[in-house]
Amino acid sequence: MKREKMLKRLKKRKEPWDIVVIGGGATGLGIAVDAASRGYATLLLEQHDFAKGTSSRSTKLVHGGVRYLQQGDISLVLEALKERGLMIQNAPHLVKNQAFIIPNYEWWDGPFYQVGLKVYDLMSGKLGIGSSKKLSKNETIGHIPTIDQKGLKGGVVYYDGQFDDARMALSLAKTARQFNGVVINYMKVTGLLKNDEGIINGLTATNLESGKSYDIEAKTVINATGVFADAVKKMDEPDVKEMIQPSQGIHLVVGKEFLPDKYAIMVPHTKDGRVMFAVPWHDKVVLGTTDTMKEKPELEPKAQEEEIDFILETAGQYLTKQPTRADVLSVFSGLRPLAKPEGDGKSTKEISRHHKVMISQSGLITIIGGKWTTYRKMAEDTVDNAILIGALPDRKCVTQTLPIYGYDKNLDITTDHLAVYGTEKYQLLELEEEEPELAEFISESLPLRKSQVVWAVRHEMARTVEDMLARRVRGLFLDAQESFRVAPEVAAIMARELEEGEAWVSNQLEAFNKLKSHYLI
Ligand SMILES: Cc1cc2nc3c(=O)[nH]c(=O)nc-3n(C[C@H](O)[C@H](O)[C@H](O)COP(=O)(O)OP(=O)(O)OC[C@H]3O[C@@H](n4cnc5c(N)ncnc54)[C@H](O)[C@@H]3O)c2cc1C
């Protein structure tokens, strides 16, 4: 997957594209996979890097949502549980089965969650991934030796999926390309084109690397820009009512000593009524999340001090050792693109997570809401609408059984940090055989080898040091300090591959270092 080749294909095409997708997060990339695999001429444009927005900042769960069950949103849970099963089935190299334990500190908690989780198990039907089970106090401690034992009565174990979100996004980009789709990062959509009747028939976009602008013809245009959806809607109708309510969620990453075994903790009711997770991820532990209403969308949102304190304090209530700021290896924040509630007075945690597909009078298709877990179904619904709007030949969705690029059942992301490459892992190892110096580690703790940087530039459209350290590997999210330490070496290797000079390296490092205040506390 090379950016220059993608640009060439964009310039070469003389006919209108069947479907042009704006936004390269979970939603847009899922749509590109769906559209391309149905045989439509598909183009996706992303203003920054793939998954730069919310889609690299999730809690990494592929889940039905125990919380939504608590809220009684049965249809959402049913849909998400089905999609959870399909995601594990179609991308086993990126999604794995994760055991969660709900610790019980009140005698009535045990039976209450046991019943609820049995319903959860039953709702996943044929695509179930394990049965929930009551645990004694000793079993709970055996699985989570770091759990606070004061007043502990026992626990309930249940199963959901876990994944690497940014790597999944990249694999979706590769899947779209496999079906002849064109996906381009650093290409910002700046306006919409309309015919004499006022119907959208294309858009304008700027290549942010070269500054060159393009007029692109399209039979349908899909706005899949997450929290930025209102800005694109305004390109169509400047006075349109805003419909997105961004809600911020932050995560803290701490060392494995806080959760040494493979079990995750799920706290169904924090003191302010939220759900909190502590989940092992790439040999570290992710703690989160929060739900804070935000005024405006941002590409690089920043954790608030109160959010950090809240997570540390809540984690401390369930763990033997209270995590402190000094234990935090990285902090990352994301914005949920929630649909604004109709009435006033609803808090963000009560806003529905269902997705909505909307069509404007001029034919702009906008998709908002949803979750990473339901990206496939969201894409199917959106492309079904695009077929009608663009008068495209009717073709059925094929993604329910479509393997995601790199599909390999034998790889295990819990034990093998190269599993996220899927079948390309073996090509990466071949590269190391051909050029043995590339097998050297840049960082053993992240872990990161030189070959991964070369691979990301040659085959994964990594354009910046941030692309490399935040999304091609997850260093910035896992250990920010270590990522800033190795950035100069990463920049030097990338510069060689991209045939760039010293000025490029210093610009890259300057830009990357600006992220310090966001990921380090
Ligand atoms: C804290 C948090 C935790 C979450 N945890 C989970 C979880 O565990 N499991 C789960 O299933 N879901 C989870 N979610 C939800 C999930 O992450 C989101 O629903 C999903 O990532 C949204 O994807 P998106 O593609 O709609 O948005 P984004 O990922 O934000 O993508 C939109 C893209 O559009 C691009 N864009 C914007 N304007 C333009 C333009 N003019 N031209 C070109 N490109 C443009 C942006 O750069 C961006 O990359 C979580 C969300 C948050 C915030």
Side-chain angles (χ1 to χ4, degrees):
M1 201 167 67
K2 290 196 194 323
R3 190 167 185 275
E4 304 75 47
K5 279 195 181 168
M6 297 287 181
L7 281 171
K8 246 191 208 153
R9 287 190 50 204
L10 170 68
K11 289 179 207 159
K12 220 174 106 194
R13 189 168 173 93
K14 296 284 173 278
E15 315 81 65
W17 296 85
D18 290 329
I19 294 182
V20 176
V21 187
I22 316 173
T27 310
L29 288 163
I31 293 167
V33 168
D34 187 303
S37 61
R38 292 196 210 199
Y40 298 123
T42 304
L43 170 69
L44 177 142
L45 305 172
E46 162 57 48
Q47 66 174 349
H48 195 278
D49 186 26
F50 305 119
K52 162 70 179 180
T54 307
S55 297
S56 56
R57 300 154 187 275
S58 77
T59 313
K60 329 297 177 203
L61 304 181
V62 178
H63 61 158
V66 171
R67 178 160 70 93
Y68 311 124
L69 190 60
Q70 280 178 332
Q71 291 172 348
D73 198 341
I74 303 294
S75 63
L76 178 64
V77 179
L78 273 174
E79 178 176 275
L81 282 172
K82 178 180 171 195
E83 293 304 319
R84 178 190 75 174
L86 295 178
M87 222 162 139
I88 294 179
Q89 171 194 292
N90 297 335
H93 56 301
L94 289 161
V95 189
K96 71 170 188 82
N97 192 334
Q98 171 68 53
F100 290 80
I101 292 180
I102 301 182
N104 304 144
Y105 289 90
E106 305 288 350
W107 65 265
W108 60 82
D109 274 356
F112 178 77
Y113 288 113
Q114 256 171 275
V115 172
L117 290 165
K118 276 286 164 245
V119 174
Y120 195 67
D121 292 346
L122 286 172
M123 284 170 75
S124 45
K126 284 200 302 269
L127 291 168
I129 56 172
S131 297
S132 59
K133 199 170 111 231
K134 176 178 181 296
L135 298 175
S136 67
K137 178 176 173 179
N138 282 344
E139 283 172 323
T140 307
I141 297 166
H143 293 328
I144 312 175
T146 49
I147 194 87
D148 184 16
Q149 299 180 20
K150 207 165 10 95
L152 183 71
K153 303 279 186 284
V156 186
V157 61
Y158 74 97
Y159 298 87
D160 253 329
Q162 195 210 24
F163 76 137
D164 185 324
D165 47 11
R167 289 297 314 186
M168 180 77 190
L170 200 62
S171 297
L172 291 177
K174 292 179 188 181
T175 313
R177 184 203 147 236
Q178 199 180 13
F179 289 94
N180 212 26
V182 173
V183 293
I184 312 182
N185 52 3
Y186 296 100
M187 184 70 99
K188 185 180 170 80
V189 172
T190 49
L192 298 170
L193 302 172
K194 293 183 180 175
N195 67 13
D196 295 343
E197 280 93 52
I199 302 297
I200 291 174
N201 61 1
L203 47 73
T204 54
T206 304
N207 179 351
L208 296 184
E209 289 191 355
S210 65
K212 192 170 169 358
S213 289
Y214 297 85
D215 283 352
I216 297 165
E217 284 182 73
K219 293 182 190 162
T220 57
V221 173
I222 297 175
N223 173 11
T225 54
V227 280
F228 302 95
D230 283 331
V232 174
K233 282 199 82 177
K234 283 183 179 175
M235 292 177 192
D236 177 27
E237 299 171 78
D239 300 324
V240 74
K241 194 171 153 220
E242 298 199 346
M243 53 176 190
I244 294 284
Q245 174 59 64
S247 138
Q248 174 158 293
I250 75 146
H251 297 88
L252 304 180
V253 177
V254 293
K256 227 183 147 197
E257 64 277 14
F258 285 96
L259 209 56
D261 208 338
K262 59 182 187 210
Y263 292 86
I265 302 176
M266 194 269 203
V267 175
H269 249 283
T270 58
K271 72 173 183 223
D272 66 345
R274 297 177 199 166
V275 172
M276 181 94 128
F277 292 98
V279 194
W281 189 60
H282 288 317
D283 233 24
K284 305 277 189 293
V285 177
V286 176
L287 306 174
T289 178
T290 51
D291 205 334
T292 311
M293 197 100 78
K294 288 296 278 263
E295 284 294 307
K296 279 206 306 275
E298 280 172 276
L299 255 187
E300 192 59 73
K302 194 169 175 182
Q304 296 173 0
E305 295 300 310
E306 311 84 71
E307 292 182 291
I308 296 170
D309 291 340
F310 173 79
I311 291 186
L312 288 173
E313 190 196 314
T314 310
Q317 287 165 6
Y318 294 88
L319 297 171
T320 40
K321 187 179 157 217
Q322 165 75 53
T324 65
R325 286 172 174 253
D327 295 309
V328 176
L329 299 168
S330 178
V331 50
F332 61 91
S333 324
L335 298 179
R336 296 175 189 87
L338 302 184
K340 261 196 176 128
E342 298 297 331
D344 287 337
K346 266 198 180 174
S347 75
T348 43
K349 59 179 182 285
E350 292 166 301
I351 301 176
S352 166
R353 264 55 169 174
H354 282 276
H355 63 272
K356 268 191 197 168
V357 181
M358 287 158 293
I359 296 160
S360 76
Q361 280 188 353
S362 47
L364 177 68
I365 303 167
T366 297
I367 164 116
I368 58 161
K371 325 195 300 162
W372 235 122
T373 309
T374 54
Y375 85 92
R376 193 210 62 81
K377 179 70 172 80
M378 292 163 67
E380 180 178 347
D381 291 351
T382 312
V383 175
D384 283 347
N385 275 286
I387 292 171
L388 299 175
I389 299 299
L392 303 176
D394 194 4
R395 298 184 193 134
K396 294 278 161 273
C397 171
V398 297
T399 54
Q400 281 214 21
T401 52
L402 184 76
I404 298 306
Y405 190 90
Y407 175 99
D408 188 338
K409 252 175 139 162
N410 302 315
L411 293 170
D412 178 358
I413 67 167
T414 36
T415 52
D416 176 1
H417 79 274
L418 296 181
V420 292
Y421 292 90
T423 46
E424 285 188 336
K425 168 187 165 174
Y426 307 109
Q427 287 163 262
L428 189 79
L429 295 177
E430 249 172 53
L431 176 68
E432 291 183 354
E433 269 168 34
E434 284 157 20
E435 298 175 57
E437 69 282 2
L438 295 184
E440 286 166 22
F441 276 98
I442 296 173
S443 164
E444 291 202 29
S445 68
L446 284 180
L448 173 62
R449 307 214 287 247
K450 290 181 179 169
S451 60
Q452 292 175 274
V453 181
V454 169
W455 185 265
V457 175
R458 289 187 195 167
H459 305 292
E460 298 187 327
M461 291 170 73
R463 309 298 296 176
T464 69
V465 169
E466 185 204 324
D467 296 350
M468 183 64 225
L469 283 166
R471 292 170 293 275
R472 299 306 177 278
V473 295
R474 308 309 307 274
L476 187 62
F477 289 71
L478 291 164
D479 187 341
Q481 196 72 57
E482 178 66 358
S483 300
F484 289 112
R485 187 188 73 76
V486 300
E489 194 175 350
V490 170
I493 299 174
M494 290 186 79
R496 237 179 0 255
E497 284 296 312
L498 291 164
E499 298 177 2
E500 295 283 357
E502 274 173 31
W504 184 88
V505 170
S506 61
N507 285 341
Q508 283 296 310
L509 293 177
E510 195 187 322
F512 190 58
N513 285 332
K514 281 197 183 133
L515 298 175
K516 277 189 178 166
S517 64
H518 288 255
Y519 292 84
L520 288 172
I521 54 172

